Amino acid sequence: MDLGLAAQARPLRMSPLMETRSLADAAAMGDADAFERLVREHHARVLNVAYRMLNDEDDAADVCQDVFVKAFRALPRLRDRSQFSSWVLKITANCARDYLRRRRRRAETPLEDEVVPTVDERHSDSAATQDSDRIVQRLLMGLPEKHRIVIVLRDIEDMSYEEIAQTLACTVSSVKNRLHRARRVFRDRLTPYLGEGGL
Amino acid sequence: MAHPHTPLELPEEVRAALARQPRLEPRPLLVAAVRARVAPVAARRSRRLHRAMFRLVDALLDGELPEGARMALEGHAAHCAECACVLERARAGREVLRGVGRLSVSREQALRVRLAAGPGEGRKPSRLPGLVAATASVALLLGLGARWLAAPVPETPASPAPLIAAVDEAPQSPPAGLEPPAERELAAAPAAKPAARAVPVARARRSAGRRSAPETTRPDAAPPSLDSARGSAVLVVATQPPPATNASATPAHAPAGPTATIGRIDAGPITM
C-alpha cells in the first residue's frame, strides 16, 4: 500500500514535447503562468535567431517581444500545439523578415543583403579585431534572407531538416537545396579568414 | 572479392601451405583483359563519388546519409585530395558556425521585464507623469498669481492719478438682474480701504500691461464691460475670500462694494 501511495505521490515526468503541448494548451486557455514558462523556454532561441537575422541586439529584442505578443494572441488558433517551438520560430522568421523590409524602406541602415565584404575589409578585419563572432555575423548578413535563416536554424540552432521545413513551410528538399547553397557561399567567403588563421 | 585497398589477412598455416604450392604464372592477356574491364568501372565510380562529394558533403556532415553512401564518400575522400579538402573546409565552416556566441543574459532579462510590462507598453512611455507635472505646474502658477494679485500691500502715499481716475470712472453698479452672485455678496460687505484698493489696481494694471494689453493701461481707457468684470470677479472669488468685513476700517468716501471689487480687477480681462 505504501508503495502504491508513493507511486501516486510521485509526479509524472512528461516528455518535453508533451510538456510543451500542455503548457501551450494552458496558455491558450489564458493561463499567464504557462505562457511565461513557454517564453522562458523559448526566448533565448528566438532572440538569437532574430539577432542573427537582423545583426542588431535592440532590433532583435524588439522582434522577440513582437514574436511573443503575436504568439500569445494567436495561440488559441494553433491546432497542433506540440509544435509550439517551430511555430514560434516561424513567427520569428516572418517578423525578422518584415523588420528587415521596414528597415530597408526607411533606409536607416545600408542594405546589407547580397553585400560581399571586400578583400581590404577582410584583411583589416582579421588583422585588427580577430573577432570571429563579428566576422561570422558579417558573412551571414551577406547571405540572402532565405539562405540565412536556413543556415541559422540548422548550424546555429541545430534543428533537423524536417523541423526547418516545418518552420519555413517548405519541403525538406528545398531546405537541403537552400542549405547547400548557403553553406557553399558561406564557406567560400570564410576561406580567406581560415587561411589567415583568424578563426 | 576482397577490397583492393585492404590487405588480405590469412592464417599462418594457410600461408605456409600456399608457399609450398608451385607458383602459377599469371597470364598477361587475361590480366590485361580484366584490368580493361574493371578500370573504367572504377574510374566512373570515382568520378561519380567525386561529384557527389561536392553535392552531399553537407548531408554527410549532418549525418543524413545512409551508412553505405557515407562509407563510400569517406573512402573516396581518403584517396582524393580535392575531396578531402572539400570535406575539411565544410567541417571547418560548420565548427565556426557552431562556435558563435549567444546574446548575453542581461538582454534576456531586459526582455523579460519588457514582456512583463504587457503588449505594446515597452515602446511607448506613459504620458501620465507628464500630465500630472503639467497640471501641477499650471495650478501652482494660478495659485501664486492669484495670491500675488490679492495680497495686501503696505500703504503707499501717492498713487498715480490716472490709475485712480480709472477706478473712479468704473461703473458704479451693473444693471439690475445681471449682477453675479459673487458681486452681490461683495456689495453687501463693507468696502476696503481706499489706499489698499488703489495699489492693487495699479498692480493689476501693470501686470495687465505686461500681458500685452496697452490700451487698458491708458488713463482714458473705457470702463470694463460687465462680462470682463464678471469673469475676473469669478477668478478673484475663487482664489480669495471676500475682502474685508471690518466696518470701522471703511472710510466715508469709499465707493460702494461692487465698485471696489470691480475696481480691483479693473485692469481688463485676465486671460488664462
Side-chain angles (χ1 to χ4, degrees):
Chain A
M1 295 296 285
D2 292 341
L3 288 175
L5 287 176
Q8 282 182 355
R10 195 182 307 141
L12 293 174
R13 291 187 63 83
M14 290 189 294
S15 69
L17 203 64
M18 286 179 60
E19 191 174 357
T20 300
R21 179 172 189 160
S22 64
L23 285 175
D25 285 340
M29 300 295 290
D31 188 350
D33 293 337
F35 190 74
E36 187 183 347
R37 283 190 61 189
L38 285 174
V39 170
R40 281 184 187 169
E41 284 179 8
H42 293 88
H43 77 275
R45 181 179 248 192
V46 167
L47 192 64
N48 277 286
V49 170
Y51 172 65
R52 294 297 167 194
M53 289 296 291
L54 297 171
N55 194 24
D56 186 280
E57 289 188 22
D58 294 330
D59 290 350
D62 286 345
V63 164
C64 192
Q65 184 164 346
D66 289 347
V67 164
F68 285 113
V69 169
K70 285 183 180 178
F72 185 74
R73 287 178 181 159
L75 191 53
R77 297 196 299 271
L78 179 63
R79 288 184 208 146
D80 187 4
R81 293 183 184 132
S82 61
Q83 304 297 326
F84 180 82
S85 303
S86 58
W87 179 66
V88 162
L89 285 177
K90 184 177 183 177
I91 298 175
T92 306
N94 291 332
C95 281
R97 200 176 302 143
D98 293 343
Y99 208 91
L100 278 174
R101 285 181 189 147
R102 285 203 301 269
R103 198 160 72 178
R104 215 175 285 152
R105 211 176 298 141
R106 290 195 306 261
E108 286 180 352
T109 55
L111 188 65
E112 293 187 76
D113 275 2
E114 307 290 352
V115 172
V116 183
T118 62
V119 177
D120 290 336
E121 279 179 329
R122 288 173 183 167
H123 282 284
S124 63
D125 231 11
S126 60
T129 62
Q130 298 286 328
D131 189 356
S132 64
D133 192 85
R134 207 159 63 85
I135 294 171
V136 168
Q137 185 60 33
R138 177 180 291 189
L139 294 178
L140 282 177
M141 293 306 289
L143 298 175
E145 284 171 27
K146 64 179 184 178
H147 290 169
R148 195 189 318 155
I149 184 67
V150 171
I151 206 168
V152 165
L153 293 179
R154 174 63 200 169
D155 286 336
I156 297 180
E157 297 300 326
D158 204 18
M159 292 173 68
S160 68
Y161 288 170
E162 287 77 14
E163 286 174 326
I164 297 172
Q166 198 171 12
T167 298
L168 301 182
C170 60
T171 62
V172 174
S173 302
S174 174
V175 170
K176 287 181 182 176
N177 283 332
R178 289 186 199 178
L179 189 62
H180 176 65
R181 290 177 187 168
R183 280 174 171 170
R184 192 177 57 193
V185 174
F186 183 81
R187 279 196 295 264
D188 290 344
R189 295 176 183 174
L190 183 69
T191 303
Y193 299 103
L194 293 175
E196 294 164 1
L199 298 176
Chain B
M1 177 181 172
H3 195 276
H5 301 295
T6 53
L8 190 61
E9 296 289 338
L10 293 174
E12 192 62 34
E13 56 271 19
V14 175
R15 285 186 187 174
L18 285 174
R20 286 195 294 272
Q21 293 290 328
R23 193 170 183 86
L24 298 176
E25 290 297 327
R27 299 177 181 178
L29 287 178
L30 181 62
V31 170
V34 168
R35 282 182 179 169
R37 291 180 73 88
V38 168
V41 173
R44 273 202 303 271
R45 186 170 186 267
S46 177
R47 282 199 299 271
R48 203 168 57 239
L49 285 174
H50 193 79
R51 285 195 300 268
M53 176 61 81
F54 287 93
R55 193 162 33 86
L56 298 177
V57 62
D58 296 315
L60 175 66
L61 291 181
D62 287 340
E64 301 280 342
L65 287 181
E67 186 68 16
R70 184 183 66 81
M71 287 184 65
L73 283 175
E74 287 179 348
H76 171 75
H79 296 93
C80 177
E82 193 176 358
C83 287
C85 181
V86 167
L87 195 59
E88 188 58 34
R89 279 177 53 201
R91 280 204 181 105
R94 184 183 168 92
E95 291 305 315
V96 165
L97 279 171
R98 290 185 176 239
V100 296
R102 290 180 172 268
L103 293 186
S104 62
V105 181
S106 59
R107 295 288 318 168
E108 298 171 357
Q109 287 176 346
L111 172 73
R112 193 179 308 158
V113 170
R114 295 172 67 184
L115 280 172
E121 292 180 5
R123 292 180 181 176
K124 295 181 181 176
S126 174
R127 296 179 177 175
L128 188 60
L131 284 175
V132 169
T135 308
S137 305
V138 169
L140 184 65
L141 284 174
L142 282 177
L144 286 176
R147 184 178 288 260
W148 181 71
L149 285 175
V153 178
E155 191 171 319
T156 53
S159 296
L163 298 182
I164 294 178
V167 171
D168 292 339
E169 288 171 5
Q172 293 302 313
S173 63
L178 291 177
E179 188 178 16
E183 291 181 13
R184 280 199 295 270
E185 292 174 6
L186 290 174
K193 294 178 184 177
R197 176 173 56 88
V199 172
V201 169
R203 186 181 290 169
R205 282 182 176 276
R206 281 198 301 271
S207 66
R210 282 195 297 267
R211 288 188 192 115
S212 72
E215 63 273 8
T216 59
T217 58
R218 289 202 309 264
D220 54 347
S225 65
L226 180 62
D227 291 337
S228 65
R230 183 186 294 171
S232 301
V234 169
L235 176 63
V236 170
V237 169
T239 55
Q240 185 198 17
T245 54
N246 191 2
S248 62
T250 305
H253 64 278
T259 304
T261 305
I262 294 175
R264 177 178 293 178
I265 55 176
D266 189 31
I270 300 174
T271 57
M272 291 176 60

